[in-house]
């Protein structure tokens, strides 16, 4: 009965998004209402669970997401992000130019949204493809793979930032794993993707739109001449290093290298996600001051927070659904009914991936897909069969699985590159699908050997 009501709730959420075109946040709350009432949680208790679930997730990640968005917006508007892009691509050896382009996208998408990263880098990608004598899909695919990978699994982007809170593990572990898994994934997938293109996948007459002019390097916005590379990188690297400092200190304590069982107050303070992201935001303000006055910086931060509003609302609504699932114990019962006898870590990882993939394919938003899958699987993280990190990676990779015509990123990629819908499938959709499968494979290996 519990599984039936959960299935109906998922169907209701998808139906409201797809057919009635309701905002995903409203749809998630309505699904939460149905689930609470159907499971006899009670009218007042259901509403209370929805409110407390929203509040709990916002208390954990609301400020960090807001600070992260401010960092990205200030870096974009001050052209510090452009400085990073131009400098890294210019330093690339000729033979590795496409890989460096993709990894530049990986770096920029940590603080900057995917679409902004793509807009910044596509002119450089066009120019690089011409310099190397490669068809454009090589550069576009590299950009998609690099940017989408970090945006999916590296904090402070919303989903991986929420993963640690929803599944109850250290944000530093998510950061370290996201960076390590992400870099390996990006390089491996770029190699696979280039090999597929070498086999003749691309057909220009069908995959590119004739007569469409694509932005080249001459049309790219110039990088800031007042912001050196090291300074441009500071707002990105500072919060990551601060977050990781707490995790590494704790690990050294476990090894006996450092004394104590708990983090010193100063280390715990500076490695806290709120303090770390606030430090990054302050660094972004300082870096942006090289190009922008106080009014411009304030307007830039305000624009960033406006774009963060929907993300925060959807993430909070996902927390509401998670609280209802927790209070009704549906997640725990689902896991016990499916894996009580087998205690299968692999099965739990595949279930998390499958749930996220269904939401991703059906409604397009990776944020909704990942958050919903993780809230449903939160019960599995508490029974000790599999490390919550592998559940997080599986859910996050499912959330990037198949991006197609219902995903705004698909159209941004296709239109800016001058590709047809068919060409979009061969770059955006294929690139993200390969990223998804490689991350899933790593999660499965982790759950097998280090459950």
């Amino acid at each position: 009965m519990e599984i039936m009501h959960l299935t109906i709730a998922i169907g209701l959420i998808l139906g409201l998004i797809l057919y009635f075109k309701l905002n995903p946040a409203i749809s998630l709350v309505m699904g939460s209402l149905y689930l609470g009432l159907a499971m006899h949680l009670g009218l007042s208790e259901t509403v209370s669970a929805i409110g407390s679930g929203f509040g709990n997730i916002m208390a954990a990640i609301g400020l960090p997401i807001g600070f992260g968005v401010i960092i990205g917006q200030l870096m974009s508007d001050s052209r510090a992000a452009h400085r990073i892009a131009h400098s890294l691509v210019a330093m690339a050896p000729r033979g590795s130019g496409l890989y460096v382009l993709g990894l530049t996208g990986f770096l920029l998408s940590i603080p900057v949204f995917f679409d902004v990263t793509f807009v910044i880098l596509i002119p450089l990608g066009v120019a690089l493809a011409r310099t190397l004598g490669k068809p454009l899909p090589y550069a576009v695919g590299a950009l998609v793979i690099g940017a989408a990978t970090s945006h999916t699994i590296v904090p402070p982007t919303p989903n991986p930032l929420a993963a640690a809170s929803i599944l109850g593990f250290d944000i530093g572990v998510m950061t370290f794993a996201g960076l390590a898994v992400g870099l390996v994934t990006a390089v491996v997938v770029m190699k696979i993707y280039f090999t597929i293109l070498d086999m003749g996948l691309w057909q220009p007459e069908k995959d590119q739109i004739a007569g469409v002019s694509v932005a080249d390097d001459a049309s790219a916005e110039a990088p800031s001449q007042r912001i050196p590379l090291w300074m441009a990188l500071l707002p990105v690297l500072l919060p990551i290093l601060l977050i990781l400092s707490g995790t590494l200190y704790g690990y050294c304590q476990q090894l006996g290298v450092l004394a104590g069982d708990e983090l010193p107050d100063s280390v715990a303070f500076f490695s806290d996600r709120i303090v770390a992201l606030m430090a990054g935001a302050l660094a972004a303000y300082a870096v942006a001051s090289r190009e922008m006055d106080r009014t411009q910086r304030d307007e830039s931060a305000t624009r960033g927070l406006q774009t963060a509003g929907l993300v925060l609302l959807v993430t909070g609504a996902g927390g509401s659904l998670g609280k209802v699932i927790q209070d009704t114990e549906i997640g725990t019962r689902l896991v016990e009914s499916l894996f009580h006898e087998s205690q299968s870590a692999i099965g739990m990882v595949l279930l998390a991936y499958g749930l996220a993939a269904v939401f991703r394919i059906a409604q397009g938003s990776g944020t909704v897909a990942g958050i919903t899958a993780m809230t449903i699987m939160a019960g599995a993280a508490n029974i000790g069969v599999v490390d919550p990190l592998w559940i997080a990676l599986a859910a996050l990779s499912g959330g990037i699985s198949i991006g197609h015509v219902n995903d705004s990123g698909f159209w941004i990629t296709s239109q800016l590159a001058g590709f047809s819908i068919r060409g979009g499938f061969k770059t955006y959709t294929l690139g993200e699908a390969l990223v998804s499968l490689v991350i899933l494979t790593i999660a499965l290996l982790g759950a097998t050997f280090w459950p």
Side-chain angles (χ1 to χ4, degrees):
M1 185 66 70
E2 294 89 353
I3 296 177
M4 181 191 75
H5 286 308
L6 179 60
T7 303
I8 292 173
I10 292 173
L12 175 63
I13 293 167
L14 289 174
L16 292 173
I17 294 172
L18 295 174
Y19 297 107
F20 292 94
K21 305 301 180 184
L22 286 183
N23 183 281
I26 297 175
S27 302
L28 283 166
V29 171
M30 293 187 70
S32 303
L33 282 170
Y34 166 79
L35 195 58
L37 297 177
M39 291 298 298
H40 307 292
L41 191 59
L43 292 171
S44 298
E45 290 79 3
T46 298
V47 175
S48 176
I50 290 172
S52 63
F54 186 96
N56 291 341
I57 194 70
M58 284 297 101
I61 66 170
L63 284 173
I65 287 178
F67 291 146
V69 171
I70 288 173
I71 292 171
Q73 192 69 48
L74 285 169
M75 288 184 64
S76 175
D77 290 347
S78 67
R79 293 177 289 130
H82 300 71
R83 165 54 59 206
I84 296 172
H86 281 257
S87 297
L88 294 182
V89 172
M91 291 187 296
R94 181 178 177 87
S96 59
L98 290 171
Y99 288 95
V100 172
L101 179 69
L103 293 176
T104 302
F106 180 95
L107 179 62
L108 286 187
S109 263
I110 294 174
V112 178
F113 285 123
F114 173 89
D115 53 350
V116 178
T117 297
F118 193 83
V119 169
I120 291 172
L121 289 177
I122 183 60
L124 295 176
V126 173
L128 182 62
R130 289 175 180 169
T131 300
L132 299 176
K134 290 285 190 179
L136 185 56
Y138 283 82
V140 172
L143 282 178
V144 169
I145 291 164
T149 300
S150 66
H151 195 70
T152 300
I153 62 173
V154 182
T157 52
N159 272 17
L161 192 62
S165 297
I166 294 173
L167 298 174
F169 66 101
D170 184 13
I171 183 62
V173 172
M174 186 69 243
T175 303
F176 181 80
L179 287 169
V181 172
L183 286 170
V184 171
T185 297
V187 173
V188 169
V189 172
M190 279 190 276
K191 178 62 177 177
I192 295 172
Y193 182 74
F194 297 155
T195 302
I196 293 173
L197 288 181
D198 290 340
M199 296 169 62
L201 174 71
W202 194 257
Q203 297 176 294
E205 67 279 1
K206 295 180 180 179
D207 300 331
Q208 293 179 229
I209 301 175
V212 174
S213 60
V214 183
D216 57 19
D217 195 40
S219 64
E221 188 172 354
S224 170
Q225 300 301 318
R226 300 174 182 171
I227 302 176
L229 178 60
W230 70 268
M231 187 178 291
L233 288 169
L234 188 61
V236 182
L237 298 181
L238 179 60
I240 291 176
L241 293 175
L242 288 174
I243 289 172
L244 289 180
S245 67
T247 302
L248 293 175
Y249 195 101
Y251 183 66
C252 289
Q253 287 179 317
Q254 293 176 12
L255 295 177
V257 177
L258 295 173
D261 297 324
E262 296 183 358
L263 292 179
D265 287 343
S266 59
V267 177
F269 176 80
F270 285 107
S271 63
D272 184 89
R273 73 191 78 185
I274 294 177
V275 175
L277 269 298
M278 182 178 66
L282 292 174
Y285 266 98
V287 171
S289 67
R290 290 286 189 106
E291 289 284 353
M292 307 166 71
D293 60 29
R294 283 186 295 179
T295 300
Q296 291 172 323
R297 296 198 300 273
D298 181 61
E299 291 174 349
S300 176
T302 300
R303 282 195 300 273
L305 290 176
Q306 288 172 348
T307 63
L310 178 59
V311 174
L312 289 168
L313 196 61
V314 170
T315 304
S320 298
L321 177 62
K323 180 61 175 174
V324 172
I325 290 173
Q326 177 185 341
D327 288 357
T328 56
E329 299 183 347
I330 289 180
T332 303
R333 294 176 188 176
L334 172 64
V335 172
E336 289 179 348
S337 64
L338 292 175
F339 307 111
H340 176 68
E341 295 183 0
S342 65
Q343 294 287 291
S344 173
I346 297 297
M348 292 183 188
V349 169
L350 290 174
L351 178 60
Y353 181 87
L355 288 169
V358 167
F359 273 87
R360 167 66 163 170
I361 295 168
Q363 52 78 47
S365 169
T367 300
V368 174
I371 292 292
T372 306
M374 288 187 290
T375 55
I376 293 173
M377 293 299 298
N382 300 321
I383 64 175
V385 174
V386 60
D387 193 296
L389 172 64
W390 308 127
I391 295 177
L393 287 176
L396 294 170
S397 62
I400 196 182
S401 54
I402 305 292
H404 56 95
V405 294
N406 62 357
D407 179 3
S408 61
F410 177 91
W411 294 108
I412 289 170
T413 302
S414 300
Q415 291 174 359
L416 290 180
F419 293 164
S420 64
I421 292 178
R422 179 184 169 119
F425 285 133
K426 292 182 180 181
T427 48
Y428 185 83
T429 305
L430 177 59
E432 290 200 341
L434 291 172
V435 168
S436 173
L437 291 174
V438 170
I439 296 174
L440 173 63
T441 300
I442 294 174
L444 289 171
L445 291 172
T448 301
F449 296 105
W450 301 282

